[in-house]
Amino acid sequence: MSLYIIRKQRIRRLCSWILGTLFVFSGLLLIKLLNDIDKQQLVINQPSQIVSLFDFRNNISTQNDKQNDVNNVIPNPIMHEDSQKPDRLSMDHIAIAIKTGHEVALDRVPVQLLTFLKDAKNMIVIGDAPGIEIGSMPMHDVITKLYDFESVNVAAVPKPEVKLEKRGAAANVIVPDTKSRGWRMDAHKNLPGFRLLYEKFPNARWYMMIDDDTYLYTDNLIQEVERLNWNDDYYMGAPNKFKGCDGVKDIHQSPLFAHGGSGILISSGAMKKLVEPININRCISKYKTCWAGDIRTALCLRDLEITITKMSGFRGMPPTAEFRWSHPCDRPITWHHLPSQRIQRLYSSELKGRRVNGVTLADVFWDEIVPQLPVDSPLLKEQIQNVDFPDAPVYRVIRRKDANLEGPALCKNTCRGEERCITWVWDGEKCWLKGGLGGKILEKDSALGYVSGVFMKKYKCVQ
């Protein structure tokens, strides 16, 4: 009995020793694990290790637990890339100059300030006389002392006569008063105006000058230029040719210039070169006899080896039925020659139908043009005799002999069946299929024998 008790006690002591040993080892193992975790956290939190851990996550995708741990520490790579990009372009990065004259500033500029420019922060108004204010905004006189450095009387600098064609009715279109001092002095405003604009807002990314009868779609402008690097040399607008400046006598031999009424857009990179004192002063003096300020700007930039970059959307006329309505998804940036009522109307229309992808030509056509069309307008006819639409953009021509066309009916049906076709014209020998509408309309004797038509409902932007 005593032997059994002795063995039982020994077994108990052995079990106690084993349990104690296991407890000690467990404690040591726990301490080691805690130390390892602390060290790992220290390594992960060191910025120098972020890239290697990111690579580790990509290379060992099967280790889900470790991947989740790393995701909690390292930002999503797409978010990380976005965080390194500059903030998105907005009107806060664009400086605007409105070019006007003291005789019309109070009539024209207020509606621009109250509509499409109401949220613009970087803006000035430039003109031809001191002491003019539009609300709390002064009109900066950029002319009176312009030639003080060379003692030239600005009023004595000649301005050639320019033949202006009136487009549309007086109620819908602004026609410049060629006898006003503001118009006669207009050519002298652009270069000093850009200089002042840069002085006021040297950190802007883009600089734009518009007339006091111009409408600007700010959202469309931002969408067009946000993909461009503003530090590069960009000079943009509606390209035109000229004669009468810089010795150009043949208009076909002239360099291209951005039409001022449509808006002149210059990147920060190009502007910094333009407004260098040695450059801007030389240009103001060298081109002071050139009859247009937008041409002077182009010539000065050309001397700096900066030429116009093509960008659609700058429109030198107002939206009317005679406008050449091209692809319905094209986005206008500006319209020109607009009275205050039409600027307000365009703005109200833009607000009502605020579009994610910007305002398109189709939007403007249906909002602004269709309600004003007379009931007998050729644009409302799917087939009409003795009418031609020569300005509508052509995308295909079918000859009678090539397609065995027997007359206008097949031309009309072909246009109806093609999604792209909006306007069709049968001239007796050929079927002209056109992807737009509007422009000049020829009627009666000018289009004798022609049969045409418009599927106006097809003029819509499908994106």
Side-chain angles (χ1 to χ4, degrees), residues 97-101 124-128 139-140 142 189 193 196 209:
I98 303 174
K99 180 163 63 72
T100 187
I124 60 172
V125 177
I126 62 169
D128 55 351
M139 182 184 79
H140 297 275
V142 296
K189 300 170 188 172
L196 180 63
M209 184 175 291

Side-chain angles (χ1 to χ4, degrees), residues 356-371:
V356 175
N357 294 320
V359 175
T360 66
L361 286 183
D363 296 327
V364 180
F365 181 77
W366 284 99
D367 290 347
E368 183 74 7
I369 304 305
V370 173

Side-chain angles (χ1 to χ4, degrees), residues 29-45 69 73:
L29 181 61
L30 179 61
I31 292 171
K32 185 177 185 305
L33 288 174
L34 291 173
N35 288 337
D36 289 343
I37 290 172
D38 289 339
K39 290 178 180 179
Q40 186 177 5
Q41 287 178 342
L42 289 173
V43 170
I44 289 176
N45 286 327
D69 290 339
V73 178

Side-chain angles (χ1 to χ4, degrees), residues 221-237:
L221 172 65
I222 290 169
Q223 288 186 42
E224 288 297 323
V225 300
E226 66 180 351
R227 57 188 169 82
L228 304 176
N229 187 340
W230 60 89
N231 292 312
D232 294 337
D233 295 337
Y234 285 108
Y235 160 55
M236 293 177 287

Side-chain angles (χ1 to χ4, degrees), residues 16 27 63 91 114 142 144 158 220 249 252 262 409 420 425:
S16 298
Q63 300 182 11
M91 284 304 292
L114 292 170
V142 296
T144 301
N220 285 2
K249 296 181 180 180
H252 301 291
S262 308
R420 184 178 178 184
V425 176

Side-chain angles (χ1 to χ4, degrees), residues 141-159:
D141 176 12
V142 296
I143 285 184
T144 301
K145 297 182 179 181
L146 178 60
Y147 297 104
D148 281 2
F149 66 95
E150 58 176 18
S151 301
V152 173
N153 179 5
V154 67
V157 176
K159 171 117 180 161

